[in-house]
C-alpha cells in the first residue's frame, strides 16, 4: 500500500504545473494534499479511480486539505471536533478496517512566533485526537506538520532557533507527539541522514542550494513499523515550494 503526501501551495496553481501527470506516476493508494487554497466548486478534478475527501478553510484562498483514496472510507471526520480549531480546513481523518489515516496541515507559528500560543494549543488537541484514535486501531499520520524536529532536519539550524518551525517549544511539542506512541518513518530508516529536506524558500536560490527544511512527515503507530517497507522524500518533483513524501506498507508481512 503506497501513500503520498504533498503540500501543493495552491492546487489550482500546481494543476498548471503537470500535477495530474505527477499524480498518475506515483500510482498511490492514497494521495494526501495540504494547502489546497480553494473552496468547493473552484476546481474540477477527473480522477475516476479515486474517492475524494475535501476539507476547506472558511477563509478564501487559504489552507485546506484533501485526500484521494482508491478505497472508500468506513467513516470520515473533518477537523478535530473543536470549533476554535476547525475553521481553517486543517485535518481529515479516514477510518478503514485496519487503520486510521489522518491528513494534517499544522498551523504556522508565524513571524516572531506571534501565533505560537495557539500553535501549542493546536498541537495538544491534535495529539489528543491521535492518541484517542490509536486506542482503537493503528494510525497513519501525514502532512505538513510545520516543524523541523532535529538539527539535521534543516540546513541552517543555528540561525533559526527562534524562528517558526524550529522554536524550542515546537520541537518539544513534536517530541511529545512521538513519545505518545508514534514513529517518524523517515528517521526510522535514516536516523542520521543530513541534507534530506521537503521544503525550500522561494528566496535566495534555496532549492538550488538545498538550503531547506524537513517539515513534511509520515508518522505511524509504533506497532505498524513491522509493516513499513519504505519512506521517501521526492525532492526531484517540482511544482510547489514543498516536495512530496511517501511511504509503503506491506500488510502481508508478519507483524
Amino acid at each position: 500500500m503506497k501513500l503520498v503526501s504533498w503540500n501543493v501551495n495552491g492546487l489550482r496553481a500546481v494543476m498548471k504545473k503537470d500535477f495530474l501527470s505527477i499524480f498518475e506516476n506515483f500510482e498511490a493508494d492514497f494521495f494526501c494534499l495540504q494547502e489546497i487554497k480553494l473552496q468547493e466548486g473552484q476546481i474540477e478534478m477527473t480522477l475516476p479511480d479515486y474517492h475524494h475527501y475535501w476539507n476547506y478553510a472558511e477563509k478564501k484562498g487559504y489552507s485546506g486539505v484533501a485526500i484521494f483514496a482508491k478505497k472508500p472510507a468506513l467513516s470520515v471526520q473533518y477537523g478535530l471536533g473543536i470549533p476554535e480549531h476547525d475553521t481553517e480546513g486543517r485535518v481529515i481523518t479516514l477510518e478503514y478496517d485496519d487503520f486510521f489515516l489522518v491528513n494534517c496541515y499544522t498551523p504556522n507559528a508565524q513571524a516572531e512566533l506571534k501565533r505560537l500560543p495557539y500553535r501549542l494549543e493546536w498541537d495538544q488537541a491534535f495529539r489528543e485526537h491521535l492518541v484517542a484514535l490509536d486506542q482503537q486501531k493503528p494510525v497513519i499520520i501525514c502532512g505538513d506538520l510545520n516543524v523541523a524536529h532535529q538539527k539535521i532536519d534543516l540546513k541552517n539550524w543555528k540561525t533559526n532557533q527562534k524562528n517558526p518551525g524550529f522554536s524550542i517549544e515546537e520541537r518539544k511539542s513534536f517530541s511529545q507527539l512521538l513519545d505518545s506512541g508514534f514513529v517518524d518513518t523517515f528517521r526510522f530508516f535514516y536516523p542520521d541522514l543530513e541534507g534530506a529536506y521537503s521544503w525550500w524558500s522561494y528566496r535566495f536560490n534555496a532549492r538550488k542550494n538545498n538550503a531547506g527544511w524537513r517539515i513534511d512527515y509520515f508518522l505511524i503507530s509504533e506497532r505498524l513499523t513491522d509493516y513499513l517497507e519504505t519512506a521517501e522524500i521526492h525532492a526531484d518533483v517540482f511544482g510547489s515550494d514543498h516536495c512530496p513524501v511517501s511511504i509503503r506498507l506491506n500488510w502481508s508481512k508478519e507483524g
Side-chain angles (χ1 to χ4, degrees), residues 90-104:
R90 294 191 176 274
V91 179
I92 299 174
T93 301
L94 302 185
E95 180 184 5
Y96 289 89
D97 289 331
D98 299 317
F99 62 94
F100 289 100
L101 172 61
V102 181
N103 180 22
C104 177

Side-chain angles (χ1 to χ4, degrees), residues 40 59 90 105 133 141 146 153 161 210 220 239 248:
E40 186 173 5
K59 180 180 177 181
R90 294 191 176 274
Y105 178 39
L133 294 176
I141 307 110
N146 255 320
D153 290 321
Q161 295 179 81
N210 198 30
I220 59 174
R248 190 183 295 274

Side-chain angles (χ1 to χ4, degrees), residues 148-159:
H149 185 215
Q150 302 170 349
K151 294 176 181 178
I152 59 173
D153 290 321
L154 72 168
K155 178 75 171 183
N156 299 307
W157 68 267
K158 289 183 179 180
T159 58

Side-chain angles (χ1 to χ4, degrees), residues 14 43 59 61 91 134 162 173 190 192 201 205 231 245:
V14 82
I43 196 169
K59 180 180 177 181
V91 179
D134 191 47
K162 295 184 179 180
S173 181
Y190 310 105
D192 303 311
S201 170
N205 292 314
V245 296

Side-chain angles (χ1 to χ4, degrees), residues 1-2 23-24 26-31 47-53 67-73 94 96 101:
M1 184 177 79
K2 186 173 186 179
F23 184 96
E24 292 169 0
F26 270 110
E27 297 182 332
D29 297 286
F30 297 91
F31 207 116
L47 302 169
D49 295 330
Y50 290 84
H51 300 270
H52 298 202
Y53 302 94
I67 301 177
F68 306 106
K70 284 190 174 179
K71 185 178 179 181
L94 302 185
Y96 289 89
L101 172 61

Side-chain angles (χ1 to χ4, degrees), residues 24-68:
E24 292 169 0
N25 287 339
F26 270 110
E27 297 182 332
D29 297 286
F30 297 91
F31 207 116
C32 302
L33 303 181
Q34 304 87 42
E35 210 171 354
I36 56 174
K37 294 184 176 180
L38 50 78
Q39 267 63 45
E40 186 173 5
Q42 288 190 311
I43 196 169
E44 291 186 11
M45 303 279 292
T46 304
L47 302 169
D49 295 330
Y50 290 84
H51 300 270
H52 298 202
Y53 302 94
W54 304 84
N55 191 6
Y56 309 100
E58 292 181 3
K59 180 180 177 181
K60 292 184 177 180
Y62 180 74
S63 189
V65 292
I67 301 177
F68 306 106

Side-chain angles (χ1 to χ4, degrees), residues 55 58 63 78-91 105 107 115 117-126 128:
N55 191 6
E58 292 181 3
S63 189
Y78 297 102
L80 298 176
I82 303 171
E84 58 265 37
H85 295 320
D86 287 347
T87 64
E88 297 182 351
R90 294 191 176 274
V91 179
Y105 178 39
R115 210 185 187 196
Y118 174 74
R119 162 63 186 268
L120 297 177
E121 290 177 12
W122 161 274
D123 280 357
Q124 180 176 343
F126 186 58
E128 290 173 356

